[in-house]
Each structure stands twice: as C-alpha cells, then as structure tokens.
Amino acid sequence: MKVPTSVVAAAGLVGGYGVARWTKKRPLGGVVLAAAGAVAARQWKDSAGNGAAAALTGAYVAAFAGSHPLAKKVGAWPSVFGVAGAVALASWAVERRA
C-alpha cells in the first residue's frame, strides 16, 4: 500500500525544514524537500495526469518559497505547517477528482 501523495508532499515540506533546522545544514534539508517532491510528482502524474502533476508540483515549489516571507509574520513552524497543509489539501482535492 502506497503512502497518500498528500502525506508525501506535506512530509517533504515539514521534513525538509526540520532536517535543515536540526542539522544546521540547509542543503541537507533541500535534499529531503527535493526527494519528497520527486516522489509526489511521480505519484501525481500516475494518479491525475501530467497537467495536474505540473500544477501540484508548482504549488509545492510555491509553498516552499512562500513559507519564507510568511515565517516573518507568523513564525517558522506555523508557516511550514500552514503551507504543508495547503499543499496536502490541494493534492487530496485534485487526486480525489481524478
């Protein structure tokens, strides 16, 4: 049984930040973020098609980028959890319709 893509994507965002923060090695966090993003993109393509995969991958990247300015307003962890939740919800909604 495969892990739901919404969970993979959210875990990539949260895990990437967590690894970067706790190891103090941002590139290592980037590896976690990219690996989970690649797995999620493949699963999105398989379950919802190329167009949906491209849109959701774009949302994943935008969530990562958007979490930085949002963190200045609400704090790092709330920002990461917020964008991870938004990507997970979008993933779930798109895959549910496919």
Side-chain angles (χ1 to χ4, degrees):
M1 179 175 207
K2 75 177 185 177
V3 176
T5 315
S6 57
V7 173
V8 172
L13 289 160
V14 173
Y17 174 69
V19 167
R21 181 171 177 131
W22 289 314
T23 64
K24 298 190 182 349
K25 300 201 183 312
R26 292 179 72 165
L28 189 56
V31 169
V32 172
L33 179 78
V39 170
R42 183 174 311 167
Q43 287 184 215
W44 287 322
K45 181 182 174 210
D46 292 344
S47 66
N50 289 330
L56 289 167
T57 300
Y60 184 81
V61 172
F64 166 69
S67 69
H68 292 81
L70 181 60
K72 292 179 181 180
K73 297 181 185 288
V74 299
W77 280 112
S79 172
V80 170
F81 285 129
V83 299
V87 169
L89 182 60
S91 174
W92 175 81
V94 168
E95 286 188 308
R96 185 170 181 251
R97 285 188 294 187

